[in-house]
Amino acid sequence: MTTDVPVSPAHVAALATPPPPRWARWAAHAVPLVALPSSLWRLAMAAGVPVGYSEEVLRTDYDLPGIGYLILPMISLLQEAVALLTLGLVSQWGLVVPRWVPVIGGRPVNTWAAVVPAALGALAMTAITMSQYMVWDTVDEGNLRGGHRAFMGWMYAPLLLWGPLLAAVTVSYALRRRRRP
């Protein structure tokens, strides 16, 4: 039994939305990539790869061994999942909800339901990463040994691009959805 979703003017408008510009596609695909290094760093730490922390710091700050084995991978998976949502702003599933989604599958995505969370996410990521950048010289001071602190910095530095990339893709999406063919 199939349930056909009625074709409304909003559905037709969503399907008639012009394709995203090439730069927006590149920017959207870059977001999960800029989130990846910090996720890999966290996964390495949870897997026991020596990242420069003493056993005491790993135990007290990251609960390794312990619940940190679950929390660090979950943070990394959540971070990548949220970053992958950016692809919706340049994909068909950002215009029409996939049919497999219960209740709302096959219906057009309300423009503001995509733009508002994306814009808030861009603002939040920019604020969070810039605030951390401003205090970087004090982050884990004394806890990381040798070149590990610099390596951690290089693994987290790409996150500075997440907010601006998401903001640019969000503006592109909003403008495309506003236009009429």
Side-chain angles (χ1 to χ4, degrees):
M1 179 178 146
T2 62
T3 56
D4 290 327
V5 176
V7 177
S8 67
H11 194 262
V12 171
L15 292 174
T17 300
R22 179 176 282 167
W23 68 263
R25 283 193 177 280
W26 280 93
H29 283 82
V31 171
L33 295 176
V34 301
L36 189 59
S38 60
S39 292
L40 292 174
W41 189 85
R42 254 184 256 101
L43 290 173
M45 186 167 52
V49 174
V51 295
Y53 288 119
S54 68
E55 293 295 324
E56 180 185 349
V57 170
L58 288 173
R59 190 173 40 260
T60 59
D61 292 359
Y62 297 100
D63 203 9
L64 292 171
I67 193 74
Y69 287 131
L70 178 64
I71 292 173
L72 292 173
M74 292 304 291
I75 291 170
S76 293
L77 288 173
L78 180 64
Q79 177 177 306
E80 285 303 317
V82 171
L84 285 167
L85 287 175
T86 306
L87 296 175
L89 299 173
V90 295
S91 301
Q92 184 66 25
W93 55 272
L95 303 174
V96 178
V97 179
R99 290 203 175 274
W100 58 265
V101 175
V103 181
I104 61 171
R107 299 192 192 286
V109 172
N110 180 301
T111 303
W112 292 109
V115 170
V116 170
L120 291 174
L123 285 171
M125 283 308 300
T126 302
I128 291 166
T129 57
M130 286 305 295
S131 68
Q132 291 302 297
Y133 174 72
M134 300 303 263
V135 297
W136 176 249
D137 57 342
T138 62
V139 171
D140 280 328
E141 189 175 1
N143 286 337
L144 282 173
R145 297 174 295 207
H148 290 99
R149 188 163 181 268
F151 183 71
M152 178 189 172
W154 283 107
M155 297 301 277
Y156 275 83
L159 288 177
L160 290 166
L161 299 172
W162 186 342
L165 287 169
L166 177 55
V169 174
T170 302
V171 169
S172 172
Y173 177 86
L175 292 174
R176 285 188 308 111
R177 292 297 304 268
R178 190 177 60 137
R179 291 191 189 128
R180 296 285 182 239

